[in-house]
Amino acid sequence: MARWRTPVPAGARPDGPRPGDLARRERRDTARSLTREDLTQALAVCAVDPVASVLAAARLEIALRSGFGAAAGQAWGFPDAGPLEAVCWAGANLVPVVPITDPERRAQAVAAFADVARMHGRRSSSIVGEQWAALTLWEHLSPHWPPARDVRADQPSMAIGTAPALPPEPTVRRSVPTELGLVLPACVRMFTEEVGYSPVASGGSAYAERVRSLITEGRSFVRMVPDVGGRPAIAFKAELGAVAGGVAQVQGVWVEPAFRGRGWSESGMAAVVEATRATVAPVVSLYVNAYNERAVAAYRRVGFEQVGTFATVLF
């Protein structure tokens, strides 16, 4: 069975505790800031569950290649000494990765990350990741940080590691740099619908640069149709927002309202899955709000299966 479907939990020790474990648990371990020398070990922690950790792993891979400045964030590791058991990426998103089976140890890791986050203050626009870790981290931080704008506590994490179950839409393709003027407005509309505010309301140069980079890297997919004047317009779009550890996470799935209800999201996603598995990563994942039952059903028709649950706290 595929590794991404049945991860081996970190910290599982069939031969019992190692020397020093009991002594360590007599004190409350803390978290430490990681250096580039720690990142290979941090990525090994993420590899325990590559679908759940892809958001953090993608930033860690950039930091390993090009430094933390290029990755636009920092990484924290738990415990403060010895082999890493959990990591947390702190950038635009705060992403805890805590693949520890022992409940007491898991709780200690999240509390340690919360201590560091309180010291730095809120710098991220969201906390996102595996449901228990993300919500527990927010439970620690909520008395100290400003109120959340929204807490999305139930987001099925879905993945597919096979060919799509539906025929791909043949006109879906990667966008090209000259189409930024079409892709960016569609991305802004999707973001505004999903999150509740425009990402470019206060200038938004960082968001525009992000969209530009995804297009340049071949991670932006579109389906074009002619508008009423015969000019090209985007009817469907999606991006590979994070790629790491053999997993590509799809984000920003959007269908122009005039074309909704025609199954274009299903055929479009089938095309994205096919192209991504052929050229980017063997496993394609995404996460979606549980209350969006139509989207969940559409992804299931494509062949996605739920492999976990995420949660997102938005600020």
Side-chain angles (χ1 to χ4, degrees):
M1 191 169 288
R3 176 171 61 90
W4 59 273
R5 293 176 60 87
T6 55
V8 178
R13 298 171 188 157
D15 55 348
R18 295 178 296 189
D21 281 1
L22 296 178
R24 248 195 325 271
R25 292 192 183 194
E26 291 178 356
R27 67 181 179 91
R28 185 178 183 276
D29 284 329
T30 59
R32 68 181 190 266
S33 294
L34 301 183
T35 67
R36 287 180 74 172
E37 288 69 31
D38 297 309
L39 293 182
T40 298
Q41 191 180 164
L43 286 166
V45 172
C46 292
V48 173
D49 189 344
V51 170
S53 65
V54 64
L55 287 168
R59 308 315 298 178
L60 292 169
E61 287 189 358
I62 295 172
L64 182 61
R65 289 194 307 267
S66 307
F68 284 102
Q74 56 185 294
W76 309 326
F78 175 89
D80 52 335
L84 291 178
E85 299 174 39
V87 297
C88 186
W89 178 257
N93 304 304
L94 193 61
V95 189
V97 178
V98 190
I100 302 172
T101 55
D102 178 77
E104 181 182 346
R105 193 67 172 163
R106 287 192 85 200
Q108 195 175 129
V110 174
F113 291 144
D115 288 343
V116 180
R118 281 198 301 271
M119 180 180 67
H120 286 280
R122 187 182 71 78
R123 300 179 180 179
S124 302
S125 60
S126 72
I127 301 171
V128 59
E130 184 271 324
Q131 183 186 54
W132 180 89
L135 293 180
T136 303
L137 183 57
W138 174 233
E139 184 178 348
H140 282 287
L141 293 172
S142 58
H144 309 279
W145 281 10
R149 192 165 43 81
D150 194 9
V151 177
R152 300 179 178 184
D154 186 3
Q155 298 176 307
S157 171
M158 309 181 78
I160 181 172
T162 62
L166 299 176
E169 168 53 49
T171 62
V172 170
R173 58 171 175 80
R174 286 176 165 87
S175 61
V176 297
T178 55
E179 294 171 328
L180 177 64
L182 296 173
V183 176
L184 179 57
C187 290
V188 170
R189 291 177 66 188
M190 178 284 307
F191 188 101
T192 305
E193 286 182 25
E194 175 66 20
V195 181
Y197 67 90
S198 170
V200 296
S202 300
S205 60
Y207 185 81
E209 186 54 39
R210 169 67 171 166
V211 174
R212 185 194 307 274
S213 69
L214 290 172
I215 295 173
T216 302
E217 294 166 14
R219 289 163 53 178
S220 164
F221 293 85
V222 295
R223 178 180 180 179
M224 296 286 196
V225 296
D227 66 11
V228 291
R231 295 162 298 192
I234 292 178
F236 164 88
K237 68 115 193 142
E239 294 84 42
L240 304 181
V243 177
V247 177
Q249 187 184 86
V250 180
Q251 300 173 2
V253 181
W254 181 81
V255 176
E256 162 66 43
F259 300 107
R260 293 174 186 174
R262 304 186 186 187
W264 285 23
S265 62
E266 290 97 323
S267 61
M269 281 298 296
V272 171
V273 167
E274 183 177 70
T276 300
R277 294 191 68 246
T279 60
V280 181
V283 176
V284 183
S285 75
L286 54 83
Y287 61 100
V288 58
N289 293 311
Y291 59 74
N292 192 347
E293 296 177 356
R294 295 174 66 178
V296 173
Y299 296 139
R300 289 192 185 280
R301 286 192 289 271
V302 175
F304 284 86
E305 299 178 23
Q306 184 170 356
V307 296
T309 305
F310 271 35
T312 302
V313 180
L314 295 168
F315 300 106

